[in-house]
């Protein structure tokens, strides 16, 4: 083996040791997801991308992993400037030991972040009943400034419609494969209803494209990715596929509102949308918001069901329950009213959903996660 060759197992083993870091932490916690390892010290999080390739991402080479580390830093600094610190290397000392941040040949690359206080995360505040009205106003203001400051993406008038239809079709394909386990009477009925709602909103969607409303957004705007400090911080932007970030801001806002509602904060969800609309003077029709929420909920159900199919999973029943919750939400927002009774959701189930994430299969929250076992 060449001196610069190193296995993933060797990298992970080194990064689990406190002496690998210049800050020499007392201990290092590790979280493993499908796409990454995150190593937690008292004050920082170090994110290592796995050498994996999926249909929607490619981290298969060291050069690509470095590139996407740099992209993660660049994109997340738009809404979390003080959290995303730098990209650091893992290198060997002259004595052959592995160290983070040394000069020399990089064996791997990591994103270094400042850890955020878990108790100030939006999902945690909803769960514990500590969310304040002013915090939602501040979040709406922060998001309004963010979206208003982005250049518009020039796409064909029909591109948004085609993209949403493709998303509807992809979700229906996965839901059909699990139809017998779902509480919804007919996946075909959901697909037809979502397609009908899409057609009804086609004119509005074309108008929004023509008005320059489509931007390169966050890509995964959920309560788990919002820290309610004095200036709200929004982190964990979807970095690995630009096409998944090309969105209508109201699509992302509708998703965030949907998740807040499912966590038990419908008033906060309404307040967020109302304040954003007033601040930007961009008020989406309720029918469009409902369409976006239906499509997003179906996507979440689809990702939950992908976990059900994983052979190593011992918690398939939990993922199926979550999928049924999301299917019911998707049907409701598509205008299907004859939704059968669903299994009762456990407290906090959606808040703890690590299915990921507007398209990605891993959902560790490295800046706040306290655990050290794989998700």
């Amino acid at each position: 083996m060449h001196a610069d060759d190193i296995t993933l197992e060797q990298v992970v083993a080194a990064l689990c040791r406190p002496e690998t870091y210049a800050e020499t932490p007392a201990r290092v916690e590790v979280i493993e997801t499908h796409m990454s390892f995150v190593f937690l010290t008292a004050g920082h999080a170090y994110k290592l991308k796995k050498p994996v390739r999926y249909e929607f991402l490619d981290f298969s080479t060291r050069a690509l992993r470095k590139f996407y580390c740099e992209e993660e830093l660049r994109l997340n600094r738009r809404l979390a400037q003080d959290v995303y610190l730098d990209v650091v290397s893992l290198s060997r000392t002259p004595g052959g030991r592995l160290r983070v941040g040394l000069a020399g040949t990089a064996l791997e690359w990591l994103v270094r972040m400042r850890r955020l206080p878990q108790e100030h995360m939006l999902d945690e505040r909803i769960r514990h009943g500590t969310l304040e009205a002013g915090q939602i106003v501040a979040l709406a203001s922060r998001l309004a400034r963010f979206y208003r400051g982005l250049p518009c993406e020039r796409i064909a008038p029909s591109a948004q419609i085609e993209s949403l239809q493709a998303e509807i079709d992809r979700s229906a394909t996965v839901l059909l494969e699990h139809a017998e386990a779902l509480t919804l009477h007919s996946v075909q009925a959901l697909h037809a209803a979502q397609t009908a709602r899409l057609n009804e909103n086609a004119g509005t969607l074309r108008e929004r494209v023509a008005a320059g409303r489509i931007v390169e957004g966050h890509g995964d705007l959920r309560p788990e990715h919002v820290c309610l400090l004095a200036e709200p911080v929004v982190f964990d932007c979807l970095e690995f596929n630009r096409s998944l970030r090309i969105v209508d801001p109201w699509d992302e806002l509708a998703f965030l509102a949907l998740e807040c509602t499912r966590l038990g904060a419908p008033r906060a969800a309404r307040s967020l949308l109302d304040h954003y609309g007033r601040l930007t003077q961009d008020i989406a029709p309720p029918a469009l918001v409902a369409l976006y929420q239906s499509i997003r909920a179906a996507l979440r159900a689809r990702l939950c069901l992908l976990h059900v199919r994983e052979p190593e999973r011992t918690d398939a029943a939990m993922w199926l329950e979550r999928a049924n919750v999301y299917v019911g939400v998707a049907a409701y927002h598509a205008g299907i009213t004859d939704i059968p009774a669903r299994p009762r959701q456990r407290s906090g189930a959606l808040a703890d959903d690590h299915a990921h994430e507007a398209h990605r299969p891993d959902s560790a929250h490295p800046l706040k996660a306290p655990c050290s076992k794989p998700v």
Side-chain angles (χ1 to χ4, degrees), residues 236-252:
D236 212 6
C237 170
L238 189 153
E239 87 284 1
F240 52 77
N241 190 320
R242 185 177 186 273
S243 66
L244 301 179
R245 297 190 301 271
I246 305 305
V247 294
D248 180 347
W250 273 98
D251 187 352
E252 298 204 307

Side-chain angles (χ1 to χ4, degrees), residues 74-80 142 146 150 216-218 237:
R74 177 184 69 84
L75 290 162
N76 278 289
R77 280 183 166 180
R78 299 178 301 170
L79 282 164
R142 182 70 188 92
F146 171 63
L150 296 175
E216 184 181 7
H218 180 274
C237 170

Side-chain angles (χ1 to χ4, degrees), residues 137-343:
V137 175
L139 176 59
S141 178
R142 182 70 188 92
L143 292 172
R145 294 196 306 274
F146 171 63
Y147 288 120
R148 283 187 304 199
L150 296 175
C152 69
E153 293 289 327
R154 298 298 180 185
I155 63 174
S158 61
Q160 184 78 342
I161 298 169
E162 293 168 358
S163 175
L164 293 172
Q165 184 65 66
E167 198 64 63
I168 291 170
D169 295 344
R170 281 191 291 267
S171 292
T173 297
V174 175
L175 296 183
L176 278 169
E177 294 172 357
H178 297 267
E180 292 185 1
L182 298 177
T183 54
L184 186 70
H185 286 314
S186 171
V187 173
Q188 292 91 336
L190 174 60
H191 180 268
Q194 288 183 321
T195 300
R197 302 294 87 77
L198 177 60
N199 291 334
E200 291 166 5
N201 284 277
T204 301
L205 290 165
R206 290 191 181 93
E207 289 171 2
R208 293 188 65 76
V209 171
R213 300 294 189 188
I214 307 304
V215 298
E216 184 181 7
H218 180 274
D220 194 18
L221 187 60
R222 297 194 291 137
E224 295 91 327
H225 301 157
V226 176
C227 187
L228 295 171
L229 303 178
E231 172 74 0
V233 173
V234 183
F235 61 96
D236 212 6
C237 170
L238 189 153
E239 87 284 1
F240 52 77
N241 190 320
R242 185 177 186 273
S243 66
L244 301 179
R245 297 190 301 271
I246 305 305
V247 294
D248 180 347
W250 273 98
D251 187 352
E252 298 204 307
L253 290 160
F255 182 36
L256 180 58
L258 180 150
E259 291 293 276
C260 288
T261 298
R262 296 308 307 158
L263 290 172
R267 291 179 61 187
R270 290 192 297 270
S271 176
L272 174 72
L273 299 184
D274 289 346
H275 279 94
Y276 179 85
R278 285 197 290 269
L279 288 167
T280 61
Q281 295 300 299
D282 175 24
I283 300 174
L288 181 62
V289 174
L291 171 67
Y292 284 149
Q293 291 182 325
S294 181
I295 294 172
R296 289 280 189 164
L299 167 60
R300 297 286 286 175
R302 171 176 117 210
L303 295 174
C304 289
L305 291 171
L306 292 178
H307 280 296
V308 172
R309 297 199 305 214
E310 294 173 353
E312 72 276 13
R313 284 285 177 185
T314 61
D315 52 0
M318 177 193 70
W319 289 110
L320 181 59
E321 179 182 344
R322 295 182 187 183
N324 272 307
V325 171
Y326 277 117
V327 167
V329 173
Y332 172 79
H333 287 294
I336 298 176
T337 56
D338 59 335
I339 304 170
R342 299 191 301 273

Side-chain angles (χ1 to χ4, degrees), residues 68-82:
Y68 283 110
C69 282
E70 293 169 343
E71 281 292 274
E72 184 170 356
L73 184 74
R74 177 184 69 84
L75 290 162
N76 278 289
R77 280 183 166 180
R78 299 178 301 170
L79 282 164
Q81 175 72 33
D82 296 332

